[in-house]
Amino acid sequence: MKTRNFLLVSICAFSFVFFSCSKPGDSKVSHAVAAYGEQNFDKALELFNEALNEETSYSDELIYNFIGNVYLGKDENEKAVEYFEKALQNKPDYFGLVRLGSVYYNLENAENARKTFERAIQLNPDKAEAYASLGILFMSQNKIQDAINNLEKAESIEKNLAIVPANLAVCWSILKDRAKAEEALARAEKLKCQNLDEYRARVMENFANE
């Protein structure tokens, strides 16, 4: 069962904090961001790479993250991984690890995805996103009890991630627990989960196969 990782959408936004342009490379970074916003990805890459060779107000790690996001925009996930790994090499970051794990997941590299989500959990065990993503990964491997354990942990930490009870509903339907599946769907509906109809259809299909 392949499960789409909808959680990725919420953590891969291309974010940018403007500094006053007091160093030579700062204007190239800001112009690169503008080029990205216009989906001129090649120009953005050119400018970011030039900025790496100039003095800027931005760390190399931040620029590597920018470049990784550009490669995501180009659907070149393997290149995105290369730059996200560079960004994390000397400065591990929780959300950076969750994003990297999600890219590995989309590349169907389950082993590296699992290890990366686990690194994120080790770095910050009190955040929900890595547990939720790990649960989704286990769902894709049909490791349903492992998926439930991680999704329930995520929900215990953060009650407002609608994707989590939606996936729990699917898990419980696979295990033929109708009551728990319906309870989870109700929680997802209350949180206005996107794609709820898709999850509900999967739940109904699993019970139809009883």
Side-chain angles (χ1 to χ4, degrees):
M1 177 188 63
K2 183 68 174 176
T3 306
R4 290 178 60 194
N5 195 347
F6 294 112
L7 188 64
L8 179 63
V9 175
S10 67
I11 62 177
C12 284
F14 190 84
S15 59
F16 182 71
V17 178
F18 286 96
F19 293 87
S20 60
C21 292
S22 58
K23 295 186 178 180
D26 289 355
S27 63
K28 289 189 175 178
V29 174
S30 62
H31 284 111
V33 170
Y36 175 89
E38 296 169 357
Q39 297 190 357
N40 188 345
F41 298 132
D42 290 336
K43 185 64 174 179
L45 288 174
E46 176 186 339
L47 290 167
F48 280 133
N49 280 299
E50 288 178 3
L52 283 171
N53 294 314
E54 298 185 15
E55 186 181 3
T56 76
S57 301
Y58 310 91
S59 68
D60 286 354
E61 288 84 5
L62 183 58
I63 296 175
Y64 290 147
N65 271 313
F66 288 162
I67 293 173
N69 275 310
V70 175
Y71 278 118
L72 283 183
K74 288 168 63 72
D75 291 325
E76 296 182 24
N77 285 356
E78 290 183 357
K79 290 293 291 185
V81 163
E82 177 185 336
Y83 280 90
F84 290 146
E85 289 279 18
K86 281 186 178 183
L88 292 165
Q89 187 172 2
N90 295 319
K91 192 175 181 181
D93 170 76
Y94 173 80
F95 283 111
L97 286 166
V98 175
R99 174 181 52 191
L100 175 60
S102 296
V103 179
Y104 275 129
Y105 174 91
N106 289 335
L107 286 169
E108 299 186 351
N109 188 333
E111 182 66 12
N112 278 341
R114 178 186 60 78
K115 288 179 179 178
T116 307
F117 291 139
E118 289 174 349
R119 283 176 63 197
I121 290 168
Q122 187 173 33
L123 188 65
N124 194 331
D126 297 321
K127 287 187 177 293
E129 295 84 2
Y131 290 110
S133 296
L134 191 55
I136 291 169
L137 171 63
F138 284 135
M139 285 179 70
S140 73
Q141 298 175 316
N142 207 32
K143 298 177 180 178
I144 302 306
Q145 191 56 58
D146 287 335
I148 288 171
N149 292 344
N150 281 277
L151 291 166
E152 287 187 333
K153 178 66 175 179
E155 193 172 33
S156 73
I157 294 170
E158 174 55 69
K159 304 294 186 185
N160 294 319
L161 287 176
I163 186 77
V164 174
N167 278 296
L168 275 169
V170 175
C171 287
W172 288 120
S173 70
I174 292 170
L175 296 183
K176 308 304 181 185
D177 191 324
R178 187 178 295 273
K180 288 185 177 180
E182 289 177 352
E183 288 169 5
L185 274 179
R187 296 197 303 275
E189 183 173 15
K190 185 176 180 180
L191 293 170
K192 296 180 170 53
C193 177
Q194 292 184 353
N195 308 99
L196 182 62
D197 288 344
E198 180 179 330
Y199 287 103
R200 183 176 283 113
R202 290 171 62 192
V203 168
M204 293 175 62
E205 181 181 356
N206 287 332
F207 285 120
N209 293 332
E210 286 183 299

